[in-house]
Amino acid sequence: MEYIHKYISKISVNNLNNKIIIKGWIKSKRDTKKIIFLVIRDGTDICQCFIHKNNASEILLNKIKKLTLESSVYIEGVVISNINQSKKYEIQIHELYPYQLCNNFPIGKKNHSINFLIQKRHLWLRSQKQWAIMKIRSNVLHGLHTFFNDREFIYINTPILTSNFVENTTTLFKTNFYNSDAYLSQSGQLYGEAAAMSMNKIYTLGPTFRAEKSKTRRHLSEFWMLEPEIAFYDLNMIMNLMEELIIFIIQYIINNNDNELKILNRDINQLKMFCNPFKRITYEEIILILNGKKNVNNINLIDYLQNDFQRKKVDIENIKLEILELQKILQNKTIKKKEYNIIINKIDILQNKSKEILENINNIPLWINSAKKFQYGNDLGGSDETALMKIFNTPVMIYNWPYKIKPFYMKKNADNNDLVNNVDLLAPEGYGEIAGGSEREDDLNILISNIKSNNININDFQWYIDLRKYGSIPHSGFGLGIERLISWICKTNHVRETMAFPRMYGNISP
Ligand code: 4AD
Ligand code: MG
């Protein structure tokens, strides 16, 4: 029988004794007395290959001995059963040809700083965690298309080069369009509204740009946004759609990316909990909750934060003691190398944990202070969002915000003209706002007056105003930040890890 090329993800116990070819890179190598083990990754998955030294040719053994981390290889072998392996099979090597021997791959097992890894993003992408995040990202986008396609939405692509702002004038990337000013799109929404007047239910999905000089873990300069826009929808319908969509995507990822979630240590039961009905709370109630004047499920936010502060102080003392104990064991001269490494690893994990807790200890008093002082008319800052979400274990939809802190296109509330019919969706676990949407002002005169009172050049918006002249209707939509959603699902520390090549303040290469 001939050797046949197989992608690693397609190999199973059904292929036992089959002669196969795999093409990939060396993820790790272990040279023992009798056997050499290679872990190979080919982009679809990883698998263990091995060769017995006593029945391999000298030439083949020499080739294998020279292999280094990330060397690229072609392997012929046979699939062997191994019940001890998680995959229940491994590959016995018959022949191997290197495509190239890799010279000193810069990313090793040691803990690299995040700045180093970002500079080496083109190589960092090969690491298993980054690979897992990219696979989840791809499926999140597939899931979004599936969701909207199933509901007969039309997929629209809106321009990146635009002549006007959408959200604000302060975060525009200016560029030059045949000698006149142009801007990279902040949002496809206004074009989405025009398209909804033609196709009723539409969505856009593409890159958007914000010149935000903020180095938070939630901000990118270039990010992808999903924006549905629907004719005859009101705020309630938008909130229902948002909730249905997020739950669909989480379930889609649980169903399709079990392996990747495991690699990321993402607890699936935790994700399942986020599929319960979301909380819907008005902006005005949120002020009371932040001020500690209203409880959520009998929990008072300020009390909770204060107790959390005390708990964390105890935690950090306990971790310190634990580290001391472990360090004592290390001093024992009879300790075996394997055990020594396990303890070093444990200490490393504890030290990282304590760093994280210390950050919290420093932040909590600031959060408490900011929450207590929060008043009507304030916008929720990143840390207000984080603090608030400590007492929720589902996403929260905050609706009816003051008009004066929201964009000109939002429709005013009929009962209270200070408020708009809008919603921001906050994710739990400190991920903050992941989506925002609203009813759109559909009255020609009110829209014009909003534009004028915001000092916006009305000429730039004539085409948008036309939509209110020719068969204006109530309509609504929202924007979902793709990277923030993925960052939350994958539980990454920063949104930058959810993009293959992130663009953010201070980073445009690679
Ligand atoms: O809240 P935003 O600014 O809303 C809009 O742009 C509306 N025009 C959307 C609409 O109604 N069609 O942005 C929407 C979402 C945010 O909730 C957030 O998830 C994400 O986009 N986002 C960012 N993500 C990463 N980096 C940034 N700098 C982001 N700014 C917004
Ligand atoms: Mg917003």
Side-chain angles (χ1 to χ4, degrees):
M1 200 171 85
E2 291 268 312
Y3 290 92
I4 296 171
H5 176 242
K6 274 225 160 243
Y7 285 113
I8 295 173
S9 62
K10 296 287 179 215
I11 308 171
S12 73
V13 281
N14 297 334
N15 300 113
L16 288 182
N17 303 320
N18 287 8
K19 284 177 165 178
I20 62 161
I21 294 164
I22 54 175
K23 304 175 186 181
W25 295 262
I26 308 288
K27 190 174 177 302
S28 67
K29 183 171 118 180
R30 197 155 52 88
D31 195 344
T32 69
K33 217 180 253 171
K34 291 183 180 161
I35 307 175
I36 302 178
F37 295 97
L38 300 175
V39 175
I40 305 292
R41 57 168 194 90
D42 76 346
T44 69
D45 205 345
I46 58 174
C47 77
Q48 177 162 285
C49 303
F50 70 95
I51 188 157
H52 284 282
K53 288 179 178 171
N54 61 7
N55 55 15
S57 76
E58 201 58 27
I59 302 173
L60 180 56
L61 271 185
N62 274 337
K63 279 193 283 190
I64 293 178
K65 280 185 179 154
K66 279 191 195 133
L67 292 175
T68 49
L69 184 68
E70 286 303 316
S71 288
S72 41
V73 290
Y74 169 106
I75 294 175
E76 288 174 354
V78 62
V79 183
I80 303 281
S81 149
N82 182 344
I83 45 164
N84 299 322
Q85 274 257 323
S86 62
K87 295 192 194 307
K88 306 277 177 273
Y89 71 84
E90 53 190 342
I91 315 288
Q92 181 166 23
I93 301 170
H94 287 173
E95 187 53 280
L96 178 147
Y97 303 101
Y99 288 100
Q100 191 200 36
L101 292 179
C102 173
N103 214 342
N104 290 329
F105 190 66
I107 302 175
K109 278 221 166 88
K110 55 179 181 284
N111 285 335
H112 297 289
S113 75
I114 187 75
N115 284 339
F116 174 83
L117 291 170
I118 278 287
Q119 282 166 22
K120 296 275 183 263
R121 183 58 172 168
H122 50 299
L123 305 176
W124 185 29
L125 267 183
R126 302 180 189 191
S127 84
Q128 207 183 15
K129 274 198 171 167
Q130 300 309 311
W131 172 86
I133 296 168
M134 286 306 120
K135 281 196 75 176
I136 290 178
R137 179 182 175 104
S138 172
N139 262 343
V140 164
L141 293 170
H142 270 290
L144 291 170
H145 284 300
T146 304
F147 179 89
F148 286 107
N149 196 40
D150 287 351
R151 285 158 186 76
E152 294 173 357
F153 278 62
I154 306 293
Y155 177 35
I156 296 292
N157 301 118
T158 54
I160 286 171
L161 289 171
T162 61
S163 58
N164 49 258
F165 76 94
V166 183
E167 293 302 301
N168 54 56
T169 50
T170 54
T171 64
L172 286 170
F173 275 110
K174 199 168 169 182
T175 177
N176 180 298
F177 188 74
Y178 307 115
N179 296 329
S180 60
D181 286 348
Y183 309 96
L184 302 185
S185 174
Q186 278 178 328
S187 152
Q189 177 194 320
L190 307 188
Y191 298 105
E193 288 184 52
M197 302 300 125
S198 162
M199 285 153 276
N200 196 308
K201 296 187 284 184
I202 67 97
Y203 69 103
T204 73
L205 177 54
T208 44
F209 304 84
R210 305 272 167 104
E212 286 184 289
K213 286 189 176 172
S214 40
K215 283 196 164 177
T216 78
R217 61 201 203 95
R218 296 173 191 166
H219 285 94
L220 292 164
S221 307
E222 177 176 327
F223 61 99
W224 279 55
M225 208 189 323
L226 164 94
E227 297 182 271
E229 192 71 34
I230 314 104
F232 310 107
Y233 258 43
D234 64 14
L235 181 62
N236 250 321
M237 295 157 98
I238 280 294
M239 291 203 275
N240 292 343
L241 185 71
M242 238 184 206
E243 179 171 344
E244 203 188 330
L245 172 69
I246 301 291
I247 292 175
F248 177 90
I249 294 296
I250 293 176
Q251 279 167 348
Y252 193 82
I253 295 303
I254 291 174
N255 294 340
N256 292 295
N257 294 88
D258 185 47
N259 179 36
E260 288 72 34
L261 291 171
K262 273 198 198 107
I263 290 169
L264 297 170
N265 284 326
R266 186 46 151 147
D267 182 359
I268 290 181
N269 288 324
Q270 183 79 52
L271 281 179
K272 282 184 182 156
M273 227 167 63
F274 303 143
C275 298
N276 291 321
F278 297 180
K279 287 266 171 348
R280 300 182 185 199
I281 305 176
T282 63
Y283 170 84
E284 284 172 325
E285 277 179 275
I286 286 294
I287 302 175
L288 298 176
I289 295 170
L290 281 168
N291 294 161
K293 291 178 186 151
K294 186 176 173 150
N295 294 353
V296 176
N297 301 328
N298 289 325
I299 300 171
N300 181 287
L301 179 68
I302 302 295
D303 291 347
Y304 179 89
L305 292 173
Q306 267 154 0
N307 292 336
D308 199 31
F309 182 69
Q310 298 305 337
R311 267 198 307 269
K312 295 235 150 71
K313 273 166 77 178
V314 174
D315 286 351
I316 210 130
E317 286 311 313
N318 287 339
I319 289 180
K320 266 190 207 157
L321 290 177
E322 218 177 314
I323 292 177
L324 276 179
E325 287 299 314
L326 289 171
Q327 280 166 341
K328 263 188 217 155
I329 303 177
L330 287 185
Q331 278 155 15
N332 184 341
K333 294 217 168 74
T334 60
I335 187 169
K336 291 214 174 82
K337 194 174 169 208
K338 197 170 170 192
E339 201 188 340
Y340 185 91
N341 287 339
I342 291 174
I343 292 178
I344 289 281
N345 204 11
K346 264 191 195 161
I347 293 178
D348 198 50
I349 291 171
L350 285 172
Q351 275 167 343
N352 279 334
K353 208 163 140 192
S354 95
K355 230 194 254 169
E356 209 176 283
I357 298 175
L358 212 71
E359 209 175 285
N360 263 290
I361 290 182
N362 293 333
N363 281 334
I364 293 174
L366 305 175
W367 294 347
I368 294 175
N369 195 23
S370 171
K372 278 183 178 165
K373 283 202 307 218
F374 193 91
Q375 55 182 349
Y376 185 89
N378 289 4
D379 203 354
L380 277 182
S383 47
D384 296 320
E385 290 176 355
T386 306
L388 176 72
M389 292 308 287
K390 292 268 175 198
I391 55 172
F392 292 97
N393 51 18
T394 61
V396 175
M397 298 199 249
I398 306 175
Y399 63 99
N400 287 145
W401 293 60
Y403 170 71
K404 69 171 197 189
I405 53 169
K406 290 292 175 187
F408 74 97
Y409 56 72
M410 290 191 179
K411 189 175 170 71
K412 299 223 174 86
N413 184 275
D415 301 325
N416 181 347
N417 248 247
D418 277 349
L419 303 176
V420 281
N421 288 336
N422 78 320
V423 57
D424 275 357
L425 175 69
L426 305 194
E429 303 181 298
Y431 287 89
E433 181 201 325
I434 60 169
S438 74
E439 292 178 5
R440 317 307 191 186
E441 186 50 73
D442 50 7
D443 182 282
L444 175 66
N445 293 324
I446 300 178
L447 183 68
I448 289 174
S449 118
N450 285 355
I451 289 176
K452 285 188 177 153
S453 62
N454 274 286
N455 286 326
I456 300 167
N457 183 353
I458 200 146
N459 293 329
D460 292 341
F461 287 87
Q462 283 306 343
W463 70 267
Y464 183 65
I465 291 169
D466 270 357
L467 305 177
R468 276 65 176 167
K469 283 187 192 162
Y470 306 115
S472 188
I473 49 147
H475 62 288
S476 305
F478 67 84
L480 169 72
I482 300 300
E483 288 72 26
R484 291 199 189 165
L485 172 67
I486 298 169
S487 181
W488 171 45
I489 291 177
C490 294
K491 216 172 174 179
T492 67
N493 282 330
H494 195 297
V495 284
R496 64 187 157 205
E497 282 184 61
T498 67
M499 265 197 148
F501 296 99
R503 295 289 168 257
M504 60 203 172
Y505 186 47
N507 188 69
I508 193 163
S509 167

